[in-house]
């Protein structure tokens, strides 16, 4: 800026203006990206999975090395969430899980690559109330899972399995290295997408970070390496939206440790109490009414993102599950 201000004052003033405009002022952000960490944190033993994460994958997350000259088919995979257990039930609501398949021409081996929760969807959407722990406790890590075979029936019978392109073995190996790095740095699952309204020009306040986002990131990586991906059918994905005015930044877990924010801490924990696990049917009905009262009448949703809490001033239509087309990059 100093250099330009001396030699080309007009450019220096513009760069200074740009710098000031992009300064890190939280509540002026209209979009917050998912935070990247230097390394994936260890998981707390308190977090328990209903089903073991990635049971058929390499325990250390390693991926095979293809011969550079190999020709690897790329498949778009989609099936209802929990299809293994409940078949097409969630498919009726277009609540879908996405993955990518690969097939090596040289070896004839097929592989599945997907990104999902270490401790299931509920744990990534709402926290636990843990005795002796002042702040809500989250078991919200997600990770990539790469394993042998493509279960054609699992993906085809209630979803889709479509070849969308071919890449070289060399491109696959580069992608594999990228997946390892992506997996080490992008670790927290986020169910919700938060927008200003349901219109086409809405502001996205927070982006989800789920199975479909991993698929989008991977397709983009393949495209950046020169892959040509195309689909003969609409490429639609599940998005669950919260609609709100500009989010208000509240802070991190310190909210629950300091006396000055005691009332806020109580209100946040009361909100999440409605979504606690192991409720009876009556309790679930009571909780749902409490949650609707908070979201609709009080127009408030306490949102957790990048390990910090935000207050969403909720707006009609409040919450919506969409199944919308997002073209291949
Ligand atoms: C008044 C308040 C109402 C609150 C309503 C709460 C609604 C909770 C969320 C609704 C559903 C959101 C779904 C978002 C898309 C999920 C896509 C995704 O990330 O899927 C990953 C994972 O859930 C898939 O799990 P499985 O089907 O078990 O598949 C894993 C296997 O493929 C492993 O091989």
């Amino acid at each position: 800026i100093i250099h330009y201000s001396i030699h080309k004052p007009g450019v220096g003033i513009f760069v200074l203006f740009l710098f000031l405009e992009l300064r890190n002022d939280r509540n002026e952000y209209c979009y917050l990206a998912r935070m990247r960490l230097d390394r994936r944190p260890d998981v707390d033993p308190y977090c328990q999975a209903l089903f073991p994460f990635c049971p058929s994958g390499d325990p250390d997350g390693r991926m095979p090395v293809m011969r550079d000259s190999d020709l690897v088919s790329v498949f778009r995979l989609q099936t209802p969430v929990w299809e293994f257990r409940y078949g097409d039930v969630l498919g009726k609501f277009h609540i879908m899980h996405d993955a990518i398949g690969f097939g090596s021409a040289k070896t004839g081996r097929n592989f599945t690559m997907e990104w999902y929760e270490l401790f299931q969807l509920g744990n990534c959407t709402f926290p636990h109330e843990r005795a002796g722990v002042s702040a809500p406790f989250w078991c919200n890590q997600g990770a990539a899972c790469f394993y042998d075979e493509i279960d054609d029936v699992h993906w085809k019978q209630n979803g889709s399995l479509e070849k969308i392109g071919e890449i070289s073995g060399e491109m696959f190996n580069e992608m594999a290295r990228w997946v390892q790095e992506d997996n080490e740095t992008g670790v927290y699952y986020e169910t919700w997408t938060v927008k200003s309204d349901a219109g086409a020009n809405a502001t996205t306040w927070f982006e989800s970070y789920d199975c479909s986002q991993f698929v989008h990131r991977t397709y983009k990586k393949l495209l950046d390496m020169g892959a040509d991906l195309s689909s003969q059918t609409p490429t639609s994905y599940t998005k669950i939206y919260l609609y709100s005015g500009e989010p208000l930044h509240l802070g991190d877990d310190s909210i629950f440790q300091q006396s000055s924010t005691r009332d806020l801490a109580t209100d946040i924990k009361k909100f999440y109490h409605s979504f606690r696990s192991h409720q009876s049917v009556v309790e679930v009905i009571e909780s749902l009414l409490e949650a609707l009262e908070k979201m609709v009448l009080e127009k408030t949703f306490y949102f957790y993102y990048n390990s910090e809490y935000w207050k969403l001033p909720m707006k009609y239509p409040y919450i919506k599950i969409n199944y919308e087309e997002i073209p291949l990059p």
Side-chain angles (χ1 to χ4, degrees), residues 228-247:
D228 178 17
L229 305 177
S230 64
S231 170
Q232 302 308 309
T233 56
T235 51
S236 298
Y237 303 86
T238 302
K239 305 282 281 186
I240 181 165
Y241 289 112
L242 294 173
Y243 297 103
S244 94
E246 182 166 358

Side-chain angles (χ1 to χ4, degrees), residues 5-298:
S5 299
I6 295 168
H7 300 285
K8 295 184 179 176
V11 174
I13 291 167
F14 171 71
V15 171
L16 179 61
F17 168 78
L18 199 62
F19 175 79
L20 293 172
E21 273 307 298
L22 294 178
R23 73 190 185 290
N24 180 14
D25 184 323
R26 272 186 202 291
N27 283 333
E28 284 189 11
Y29 270 8
C30 66
Y31 177 71
L32 263 180
R34 202 57 168 154
M35 174 173 64
R36 289 272 168 186
L37 304 181
D38 293 336
R39 59 175 293 278
R40 178 178 289 272
D42 295 335
V43 169
D44 190 301
Y46 172 84
C47 297
Q48 294 295 316
L50 282 178
F51 309 96
F53 175 77
C54 201
S56 312
D58 178 278
D60 298 318
R62 286 183 297 243
M63 293 167 66
V65 177
M66 304 289 185
R67 303 263 294 274
D68 284 356
S69 59
D70 199 346
L71 197 58
V72 181
S73 298
V74 181
F75 300 96
R76 185 171 80 86
L77 308 177
Q78 188 173 82
T79 194
V81 167
W82 299 335
E83 196 274 343
F84 277 130
R85 298 182 288 281
Y86 306 114
D88 193 31
V89 170
L90 291 185
K92 303 279 188 243
F93 303 94
H94 287 312
I95 295 180
M96 305 301 280
H97 173 46
D98 298 281
I100 303 176
F102 299 98
S104 161
K106 276 196 185 304
T107 64
R109 290 173 66 191
N110 291 326
F111 306 91
T112 302
M113 182 170 79
E114 55 188 341
W115 196 95
Y116 65 102
E117 313 88 337
L118 270 59
F119 307 106
Q120 284 71 55
L121 186 59
N123 276 316
C124 291
T125 310
F126 300 110
H128 290 266
E129 301 166 325
R130 202 173 162 186
V133 176
S134 60
F137 191 82
W138 294 83
C139 297
N140 61 338
Q141 286 198 31
C145 172
F146 186 96
Y147 54 94
D148 277 5
E149 304 300 332
I150 296 175
D151 181 339
D152 286 30
V153 173
H154 173 55
W155 299 103
K156 271 182 180 175
Q157 68 181 1
N158 295 307
S160 43
L161 188 163
E162 179 194 12
K163 180 173 178 178
I164 55 171
E166 289 181 339
I167 58 175
S168 68
E170 184 180 10
M171 288 167 76
F172 176 93
N173 295 335
E174 170 61 24
M175 178 209 72
R177 283 188 288 273
W178 169 82
V179 167
Q180 308 279 358
E181 182 192 324
D182 180 82
N183 200 39
E184 191 62 16
T185 59
V187 305
Y188 294 119
Y189 185 103
E190 180 53 63
T191 305
W192 311 99
T193 302
V194 184
K195 289 196 140 183
S196 57
D197 55 72
N201 299 318
T203 298
T204 299
W205 302 119
F206 299 96
E207 190 60 86
S208 62
Y209 201 84
D210 60 12
C211 57
S212 63
Q213 295 290 5
F214 173 72
V215 165
H216 298 320
R217 288 199 305 279
T218 306
Y219 286 163
K220 174 79 170 55
K221 177 61 183 176
L222 292 175
L223 187 92
D224 291 347
M225 291 193 290
D228 178 17
L229 305 177
S230 64
S231 170
Q232 302 308 309
T233 56
T235 51
S236 298
Y237 303 86
T238 302
K239 305 282 281 186
I240 181 165
Y241 289 112
L242 294 173
Y243 297 103
S244 94
E246 182 166 358
L248 178 67
H249 178 250
L250 299 175
D252 59 16
D253 278 359
S254 61
I255 294 168
F256 306 91
Q257 276 111 37
Q258 51 203 21
S259 56
S260 61
T261 50
R262 183 184 302 116
D263 292 347
L264 172 62
T266 303
D267 204 37
I268 294 173
K269 291 168 89 166
K270 181 171 182 283
F271 172 76
Y272 285 130
H273 184 69
S274 300
F275 301 100
R276 68 195 180 281
S277 49
H278 310 310
Q279 296 184 62
S280 67
V281 173
V282 172
E283 285 173 323
V284 166
I285 294 167
E286 287 171 349
S287 295
L288 198 52
L289 292 173
E290 286 163 6
L292 287 169
E293 180 187 1
K294 195 69 180 179
M295 281 176 69
V296 176
L297 300 185
E298 295 184 37

